[in-house]
Amino acid sequence: MILRMTEVFEKFAKEHNAVIKYTLDTHLHADHISGSLKLVQLTGAKYWLPPKDADEVVFNYNKLDENAEITVEVFQKWKGVDGNVIQLQ
């Protein structure tokens, strides 16, 4: 049995009104747990994977090069009294 734990990510995104835009794995076999490819198929997210592990990959992915720097930005939304949504960065 292959275990893919996408439910925890899907549930978190739904509960927090978040959108899954990117997934990444440090190596291809990590997908057996993270379920990144399944999340990509469900959400349209972009998949990042080290090219050294992607020799036999038959799906689209973005190259996650060694020593690459990843910046994570957190956005918060606040609904004002007038109902307008303000995005804070």
Side-chain angles (χ1 to χ4, degrees):
M1 178 175 95
I2 298 174
L3 178 63
R4 288 189 170 76
M5 301 178 67
T6 60
E7 294 82 15
V8 67
F9 302 116
E10 294 172 73
K11 182 180 176 186
F12 181 89
K14 184 176 181 178
E15 288 175 354
H16 294 86
N17 199 27
V19 177
I20 298 172
K21 292 185 176 183
Y22 308 97
T23 67
L24 67 89
D25 285 321
T26 57
H27 59 285
L28 183 59
H29 295 294
D31 177 65
H32 291 292
I33 299 297
S34 71
S36 286
L37 186 56
K38 182 178 175 186
L39 283 172
V40 166
Q41 293 166 341
L42 290 171
T43 66
K46 293 182 181 179
Y47 188 14
W48 291 83
L49 179 68
K52 66 180 181 179
D53 288 343
D55 290 341
E56 299 176 21
V57 168
V58 295
F59 52 82
N60 291 330
Y61 71 96
N62 295 288
K63 293 179 181 177
L64 180 62
D65 294 317
E66 194 167 324
N67 298 319
E69 291 186 19
I70 300 171
T71 302
V72 177
E73 295 181 17
V74 177
F75 294 95
Q76 296 178 343
K77 290 186 177 180
W78 174 76
K79 187 177 270 189
V81 292
D82 58 0
N84 290 327
V85 175
I86 301 169
Q87 185 164 303
L88 305 172
Q89 188 172 356

